Each structure stands twice: as structure tokens, then as C-alpha cells.
Amino acid sequence: MLKNMKLKAKIITGGCVSLVFFSLLSIITWFSIDSLIKTSEWVNHTNKVVLEALEINLDAADMQRAGRGFLLSGKDNFLDPYRLGSKEIYSRINHLKQIISDNPKQIERLNEIETIIKEWQEKVLETSFKMRMEVGISRTMDDIAQFAQDGEGKTYFDRFKSRVKDFMDEEARLMKERQDKYIRTAQNTKMMILAGTPAVIIASLVVLWLLALSILSPVNTVVKGMENIAQGEGDLTMRLDIESKNEVGELAEWFNLFVEKIQKLVKQAAESMKNLGDAAGKMTDIAGTLASDSNEMTVQTENISTTTIQMTANINSMASASEEMSTNAQSVSASAEQMSHNMNSVASAVEQMSAAISGISKNAKKGAEVSAQAAGLSDNAGSVMNTLGDAAIEIGQVTDVIKRIAEQTNLLALNATIEAASAGDAGRGFAVVASEIKELAGQSARAAEDISARIEGVQKKTSEAVSVIKNVSEIISSINKSSSIINSAVEQMTQSANEISANVFQANTGVGNIASSISEVAKGSNDVARNTGQAAKGANEVSRGIQNLAQAAASSNISAQQVSSSADDLAQLSDNIQKLIKQFKV
């Protein structure tokens, strides 16, 4: 099963097994610790019950001491501890019943204790208290002494202490039992942790060792097989044994396929090298024949080249005369064409100037429109700033009113202070209020002065803004007038440019006719020169062809020698490669 398992699955299995072992140990430890916690809680529970029982004993003793104090002194203040103890003892008994609600026997004992206390209070304490209150009326202290000597109170109290002792003995037994259980659980938990942890670690190591062995064993087998192939005599017939279906088995399988392909390639290379050696021998023979033919061709092309050079010299003389005549005609034609080109440039320049003037005219019109709009906006801005100035003046008037109100308030506060001072102590509170009103009036006056100062600043800035807007409006009006003047001048320039363009077009047409006539004359001269030049060119090409043929023949001779040398090298290389291939067993 492990042999065919994937490596990833083996690693995950090992981790999971170790995790399961540690999880089991953790779960068992958790249950043990949980049991310890619960046992500890029960021990604490028992301690609380014992403490409450002791408190009941103490409360009963307090009740008894308070009762004796009252019987001896007859003072009511001794009954306060008695009443408090009575309240506390019943409260503790009810609390204990809730705590030990799972223990019916103990609840039964508490009920019996509660009954004894009630009877003790009703039949002994309350009766003796009543007799003490009647001393001097219908009773004497001897009656109380006689009642105490009867021993009924001692009987009830002894029964109470006996039942409390039984209750506490039972709780002590439960506490010992729970403490013993806690000690046993703690010891078992300790032993389990001390013994279980090494056991889990050892078991995990054993599982991991088995998994590592199942992984490394086939890997080592593959490595050993590859070493035999790499360090042996090049035996390409050797294959690795495939013993598993996991990644190692796949590695061995793919390695066998790779070696098989290498084996086929080496066989093909051996056959190719053999064929290459045979081809190199044939190439050497062909290169020798080619070198002999190239030498003979070189001699014949040298003779033909000499004759062709003489013919080329005669044709070149004819071509020189024709070229001189053609050059003169071309010079005249070029002059006419240059004149036509210049006229075209002038016409283009005039057209561009006309287009530029048209653009200037459009921009001038737009500038006039924009300046008109700007003049309107500046008028609106002036009116808005005037409105703002009026509003600032009105706000200033309001602040003056606020200042006057603040001054009147200040005077009223001063009068109130004087009246309060004359009223003496009765007017102190009113004096404080008047002082606060005076302070608020002062703050209002200062705020009004601050607002007035800011309003004056706004009025000043508003006046400056109105002045600036007027200046801007005047400048915009000047710009508007200038735009109108520019627009008129641009229209006149447009008419002049159109007239210049028409005249240049007529002159350009005449120059074009002259250039056409001269071109016809130059064409005839060019035909003669071209025919003569073609003849000379043909002779030159024939001469160059023959020279190239001679050079090619010489190059062929050299190449044939190089081919022969390369064929010898190739044959030697083929032999060397065949020797290397023979080192492999295929």
C-alpha cells in the first residue's frame, strides 16, 4: 500500500497520524484537567457550605448572648444584635439550601435546624423576653432565674449544635471524598502526561521513519541505477526497474523513455556520420575537377576582356560630345523651371497672406464682440459694488444703533449696581447680575465697534473696487474702438491681397509656357545623349561582365581548393565523431 502511495499523500499521512496521536493525548488531557477543575469546584463548594454553617453557629451564639444581656439588664438595645442575628441565621439557612440543592439529606438537616431555631426562639427566648418586660409588674427576677434553671433553653441549643455538627460532619466527609478524588485525578493526569507524551512522540517518530523509509528506498534505487548508467561504459541499453506507481516510479519510467530516445538518436547519429564520411570523399573528387575547369576559364576571359576595353574607349568619346550638347539644353530648361517655381512660391505666399488676413479679420470681429461683453459685465460689476457699498452703509448704521443700546444698557447696569449697593446684603445677588449685564453690554459695544471698523474697511475696499471697475470699463471701450479700426484695415488688406494673387497667377502661366518649350528642346538633346550613353554603358557592362567572369573563375578556383580542404576536414571530423559514438552501447 505504501509502495504505490504518492509522496504528497505519504507526507500528509505522516503529519495526520502524528496530529491524531497528539489530538488524542490532548483530548484525554483536557478531560482530565476538566475533571480536576470540576473536583476543585466541588471542594470550593464544600468549603463555602462549611463556612456558612460556621456562620450559622456564630449567629446563634450572638442571639444567645444578646438574649442574656437583655435578661440581665432589661435594656432594649441588647435586642438589636438578637434581631440582626435572627435575620442573618434564616438568610444563611436559605442560602445554604440553594447551594446544596443537589443533596436532599443535607437539606433535610437544614430544615430540622431551622425548626429547632424557631422553637428555641418561640418557646425559650421570646417567653423569657416577655417575662423580663413584666418584672416589677407581675414578675420578679426570681421567676426568670427559675425559668432558666428548668434547662429548656439549653436543651434546644444543644439540639441545634448537634444538628449543625452532623451537617458539618457530612460536609467534612464530602470534602475529604472530593479532595481524595482531586488528588487521584491529578496523579492520573500527571502520569498520563508523563507517559503519554513520550509514547505519542515515539509513535509519531516510528510512523515518520516508516514513511521516510518508503520514500527514500525507491529514490535510492533510482539514484543507483542512474549512477550505473552515468559512470559505466555508456550502456544505453540499461533500464531502471519500475517497482511503484508513485512519483519515483513515474521518474524511473520517464528516465527510461529519455534513455531510449537518446539510444535512438545515437544510432541515427552513427549512421549519419558514416554517410557524411562517404559524402566528404565524393566532395573532394568534385572539388579537384572544379579547380581544373576554373583555371582554363580564367585564361579565356582575360583575352576577351582586352578587346572589350578598346571598344568601350571609342563609345565613350561619342558619348562625351552628346552629353555636352544635352548639358547646355538642360541648363536653359532648368532656368525656366526655376522661374516657374519662384512664381509658384510667390503665388503660395500671397494665398497664405490672404488666409492670414482673413484669420485676423475673424479674430478682430471676435475681439470686438468680447470687448462689448466685457464692457457689459464691467457695468454690472460696478452696479453690484455700488449695491454692496449701500449695504455696508446700512450695516454701519445698525452697528451705531447696537453701540447706543450697549451704552444705555451699561448705564442701566450702573444704576442697578448703585441701587443694589444701597440695598445692602439684600441686593448682593442683584449687584452680581447687574455686573454681568454691564460686562455683556461692554462686550456688545466692543463687538459693535469691531463690526463698525470692519464695515468701514469693506466700504473703503468697495469704493476702490468701483474705481477700478470704472477704469477697466474705459479700457474695454478703448479696446472696442481699436478692434473696429483694425477690422476696417484688415478688409482693405484682403482686397489688395486678392488683386496681387490674380496678377501672380497670370505671370506664372506665361513662365510655364516658356518652360514647356525649352523642355522640348532639351528632350531631343537628352535622347541623343541617352542613346550614346546607353551604348557606352552596354560596352562598359560587357567589359565589367567579362572582368567579373574572370574574377569568378579565379574565385571558383580558390573555392574549389577550399572545398577540397573542407571536405578533408569534414571526413576527419566524421571519423572522430564515429569513434565517440562507438563508446556507447546501443
Side-chain angles (χ1 to χ4, degrees):
M1 180 178 177
L2 289 176
K3 183 183 292 185
N4 296 324
M5 187 180 290
K6 298 290 185 180
L7 296 180
K8 183 178 179 180
K10 289 181 179 180
I11 294 171
I12 292 174
T13 300
C16 290
V17 170
S18 299
L19 184 61
V20 168
F21 286 156
F22 280 103
S23 298
L24 289 174
L25 179 61
S26 299
I27 291 170
I28 295 171
T29 304
W30 182 83
F31 277 113
S32 299
I33 293 173
D34 185 63
S35 177
L36 281 174
I37 293 171
K38 289 180 180 179
T39 305
S40 177
E41 290 175 353
W42 278 113
V43 171
N44 292 332
H45 171 272
T46 306
N47 283 327
K48 290 180 181 179
V49 172
V50 171
L51 290 175
E52 286 291 324
L54 289 174
E55 290 295 332
I56 289 172
N57 256 335
L58 293 175
D59 290 337
D62 289 340
M63 290 172 65
Q64 188 181 37
R65 282 194 297 272
R68 288 175 180 173
F70 177 73
L71 292 176
L72 292 175
S73 64
K75 295 180 179 180
D76 291 340
N77 57 354
F78 282 96
L79 293 178
D80 292 336
Y82 166 77
R83 295 189 183 99
L84 179 62
S86 177
K87 183 179 178 181
E88 287 291 331
I89 200 167
Y90 288 117
S91 175
R92 294 185 191 280
I93 289 172
N94 291 327
H95 184 237
L96 274 177
K97 288 180 181 179
Q98 294 176 0
I99 294 175
I100 61 171
S101 59
D102 58 329
N103 194 337
K105 290 183 179 180
Q106 290 292 82
I107 290 177
E108 184 178 349
R109 289 190 178 94
L110 285 175
N111 289 331
E112 188 176 356
I113 292 170
E114 186 177 11
T115 301
I116 292 170
I117 291 173
K118 286 181 180 180
E119 292 178 355
W120 176 50
Q121 284 183 291
E122 293 174 359
K123 295 181 180 180
V124 178
L125 295 178
E126 295 294 337
T127 301
S128 62
F129 293 161
K130 186 177 180 181
M131 291 174 64
R132 181 66 180 85
M133 291 176 184
E134 294 175 352
V135 171
I137 300 174
S138 60
R139 299 280 185 178
T140 63
M141 289 298 294
D142 293 334
D143 295 332
I144 296 173
Q146 182 60 41
F147 181 78
Q149 288 176 359
D150 291 340
E152 189 175 2
K154 183 176 183 302
T155 302
Y156 279 108
F157 200 75
D158 290 341
R159 285 176 59 197
F160 164 75
K161 290 195 293 183
S162 175
R163 296 298 180 271
V164 171
K165 183 177 181 302
D166 294 340
F167 180 85
M168 294 179 65
D169 290 342
E170 177 63 19
E171 290 297 326
R173 185 189 65 79
L174 291 173
M175 179 180 287
K176 186 176 185 308
E177 180 181 335
R178 289 164 181 170
Q179 286 176 343
D180 293 340
K181 182 179 178 182
Y182 178 84
I183 294 171
R184 288 195 303 272
T185 305
Q187 290 175 348
N188 293 334
T189 303
K190 181 179 178 181
M191 292 299 297
M192 182 172 48
I193 293 173
L194 292 176
T197 302
V200 169
I201 293 172
I202 293 170
S204 300
L205 291 175
V206 170
V207 171
L208 293 175
W209 180 77
L210 292 174
L211 290 173
L213 187 63
S214 66
I215 294 171
L216 294 176
S217 179
V219 171
N220 291 331
T221 302
V222 172
V223 171
K224 187 175 181 180
M226 295 174 72
E227 286 180 354
N228 292 333
I229 294 174
Q231 296 179 359
E233 297 179 354
D235 187 0
L236 297 179
T237 60
M238 185 176 179
R239 298 291 185 271
L240 297 176
D241 295 331
I242 301 174
E243 297 180 353
S244 61
K245 296 181 180 180
N246 54 14
E247 289 87 348
V248 178
E250 292 177 0
L251 174 64
E253 182 179 358
W254 287 110
F255 181 79
N256 290 338
L257 291 174
F258 172 73
V259 173
E260 185 177 353
K261 288 184 179 180
I262 295 296
Q263 183 183 11
K264 291 179 181 179
L265 290 174
V266 171
K267 285 182 179 179
Q268 293 174 0
E271 294 176 357
S272 298
M273 288 300 105
K274 183 178 179 182
N275 296 331
L276 183 62
D278 296 338
K282 292 179 181 179
M283 190 182 293
T284 302
D285 297 337
I286 294 171
T289 303
L290 181 61
S292 177
D293 294 340
S294 297
N295 288 328
E296 185 177 353
M297 185 183 292
T298 301
V299 175
Q300 292 177 0
T301 54
E302 288 177 354
N303 294 330
I304 296 172
S305 178
T306 303
T307 303
T308 305
I309 290 170
Q310 293 176 357
M311 182 178 67
T312 301
N314 295 328
I315 293 172
N316 286 331
S317 298
M318 292 174 61
S320 297
S322 298
E323 286 176 356
E324 185 176 358
M325 182 178 66
S326 176
T327 301
N328 294 329
Q330 288 176 355
S331 178
V332 175
S333 178
S335 298
E337 289 178 355
Q338 183 64 36
M339 184 182 294
S340 177
H341 180 70
N342 293 335
M343 295 303 294
N344 287 328
S345 299
V346 172
S348 297
V350 171
E351 290 177 358
Q352 292 176 358
M353 183 180 69
S354 179
I357 291 170
S358 177
I360 292 169
S361 178
K362 291 179 180 179
N363 292 331
K365 290 179 180 179
K366 290 182 179 179
E369 294 174 357
V370 171
S371 62
Q373 294 176 358
L377 293 174
S378 64
D379 292 338
N380 293 333
S383 63
V384 171
M385 294 306 294
N386 289 326
T387 303
L388 180 62
D390 295 338
I393 291 170
E394 293 176 359
I395 293 171
Q397 294 173 356
V398 173
T399 56
D400 291 337
V401 173
I402 293 172
K403 288 166 64 177
R404 289 196 296 273
I405 291 171
E407 290 173 356
Q408 293 296 324
T409 304
N410 198 4
L411 290 174
L412 291 174
L414 182 61
N415 291 331
T417 303
I418 294 169
E419 292 296 331
S422 62
D425 294 336
R428 286 182 181 177
F430 189 68
V432 173
V433 174
S435 177
E436 293 293 330
I437 293 172
K438 182 180 180 182
E439 181 65 25
L440 292 174
Q443 292 179 0
S444 300
R446 288 193 295 273
E449 290 176 357
D450 185 33
I451 293 171
S452 178
R454 294 179 184 273
I455 292 300
E456 289 177 359
V458 171
Q459 291 174 346
K460 184 178 180 181
K461 296 296 181 181
T462 303
S463 300
E464 293 176 358
V466 170
S467 178
V468 171
I469 289 171
K470 288 181 180 179
N471 294 333
V472 171
S473 179
E474 292 174 358
I475 293 169
I476 290 171
S477 299
S478 300
I479 292 171
N480 196 6
K481 293 177 181 178
S482 300
S483 297
S484 300
I485 296 170
I486 291 169
N487 196 15
S488 300
V490 167
E491 290 178 356
Q492 293 177 1
M493 290 175 65
T494 302
Q495 293 177 359
S496 300
N498 290 333
E499 292 176 357
I500 293 170
S501 178
N503 294 330
V504 169
F505 179 74
Q506 292 176 0
N508 190 22
T509 303
V511 173
N513 294 330
I514 295 170
S516 299
S517 300
I518 294 173
S519 296
E520 293 294 330
V521 175
K523 189 182 292 183
S525 300
N526 285 332
D527 291 339
V528 175
R530 186 167 56 251
N531 293 330
T532 305
Q534 289 177 353
K537 185 177 179 180
N540 288 327
E541 289 178 353
V542 171
S543 177
R544 283 195 300 271
I546 293 171
Q547 290 176 358
N548 291 333
L549 183 61
Q551 293 176 358
S555 297
S556 297
N557 189 10
I558 295 171
S559 298
Q561 293 176 0
Q562 292 177 350
V563 168
S564 178
S565 177
S566 297
D568 293 337
D569 294 339
L570 187 60
Q572 183 63 36
L573 179 61
S574 177
D575 291 337
N576 293 335
I577 293 174
Q578 287 180 5
K579 290 178 182 178
L580 293 174
I581 291 173
K582 288 179 180 179
Q583 294 179 5
F584 291 97
K585 181 180 179 181
V586 296

